[in-house]
């Protein structure tokens, strides 16, 4: 007798587990966070070079330093907000970035100056804004896109042009909004909201 062929029932495959949503890469925040940080940096670039204070002995540098450090640190807050969702940081990938490898020796030399300099108090006072600048530079490099960084760099031409125009007017005695007590020395004769000729040169650079 011929054997009946039995149909093989296909095996039921278990349902695939639900795929987890990929988290955003570390150091790359969402668009809203970047726009908020970029808006704060607009204030940093446009407002700080034009700020002076009529009170106190340091009318130029100190107000600019306090405001710039405050705005710079504030710009890092939205950039760092997305890091709360990151499980771990890839230190090898971070070390491969040229900016990180360039800044670490500078930080090491600056910190070593506390023990090697003949004026450790001056080094310590300068070390705080230096470390803030390093932290901000790393945060902006990791948190902002290249086109955003280029847009911010191009924006620096606006305050530079205003400072340069005021400096030219002051140099030719056409407009001088500052009144100093006594005779103004040649060293601080040209201020242009920057503080002095060397401060103006630094802003223009």
């Amino acid at each position: 007798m011929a054997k009946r062929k039995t149909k093989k029932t296909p095996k039921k495959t278990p349902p695939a587990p639900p795929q987890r949503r990929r988290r955003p890469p570390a150091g790359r925040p969402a668009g809203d966070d970047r726009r908020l940080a970029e808006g704060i940096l607009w204030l940093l670039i446009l407002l700080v070079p034009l700020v002076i204070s009529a009170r106190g002995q340091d009318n130029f540098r100190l107000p600019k330093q306090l405001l710039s450090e405050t705005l710079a640190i504030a710009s890092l807050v939205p950039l760092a907000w997305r890091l709360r969702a990151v499980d771990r940081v890839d230190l090898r990938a971070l070390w491969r970035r040229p900016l990180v490898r360039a800044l670490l020796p500078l930080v090491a030399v600056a910190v070593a100056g506390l023990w090697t300099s003949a004026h450790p108090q001056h080094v310590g006072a300068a070390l705080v804004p230096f470390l803030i600048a390093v932290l901000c530079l790393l945060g902006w490099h990791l948190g902002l896109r290249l086109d955003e960084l280029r847009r911010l760099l191009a924006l620096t031409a606006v305050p530079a042009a205003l400072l340069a125009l005021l400096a030219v007017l002051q140099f030719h005695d056409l407009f001088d909004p500052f009144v100093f007590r006594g005779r103004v020395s040649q060293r601080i004769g040209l201020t242009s909201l920057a503080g002095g000729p060397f401060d103006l040169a630094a802003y223009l650079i």
Side-chain angles (χ1 to χ4, degrees), residues 105-181:
L106 293 178
V107 174
V109 171
V111 174
L114 291 173
W115 294 276
T116 58
S117 174
H119 305 280
Q121 294 181 350
H122 294 170
V123 175
L127 192 60
V128 175
F130 171 75
L131 294 178
I132 292 177
V134 170
L135 181 63
C136 292
L137 188 59
L138 284 175
W140 300 335
H141 173 70
L142 297 174
L144 296 174
R145 297 194 306 264
L146 183 60
D147 61 319
E148 294 168 335
L149 293 173
R150 287 176 175 173
R151 184 162 57 244
L152 291 170
L153 182 61
L155 187 64
T156 58
V158 175
L162 293 176
L163 292 177
L165 177 61
L166 182 56
V168 171
L169 294 177
Q170 284 181 287
F171 180 77
H172 293 286
D173 295 327
L174 297 176
F175 178 69
D176 191 359
F178 309 106
V179 178
F180 296 95
R181 293 181 179 178

Side-chain angles (χ1 to χ4, degrees), residues 58-136:
D58 196 342
N59 300 332
F60 296 92
R61 294 180 184 176
L62 185 58
K64 288 177 171 57
Q65 180 181 348
L66 294 178
L67 183 59
S68 61
E69 290 176 355
T70 302
L71 292 175
I73 294 175
S75 68
L76 297 180
V77 175
L79 296 179
W81 179 248
R82 298 285 295 182
L83 293 179
R84 71 190 190 281
V86 177
D87 294 331
R88 63 184 182 86
V89 178
D90 191 353
L91 296 179
R92 292 183 179 180
L94 192 62
W95 173 249
R96 284 194 292 266
R97 293 180 179 268
L99 180 65
V100 176
R101 288 183 290 179
L103 288 178
L104 282 180
L106 293 178
V107 174
V109 171
V111 174
L114 291 173
W115 294 276
T116 58
S117 174
H119 305 280
Q121 294 181 350
H122 294 170
V123 175
L127 192 60
V128 175
F130 171 75
L131 294 178
I132 292 177
V134 170
L135 181 63
C136 292

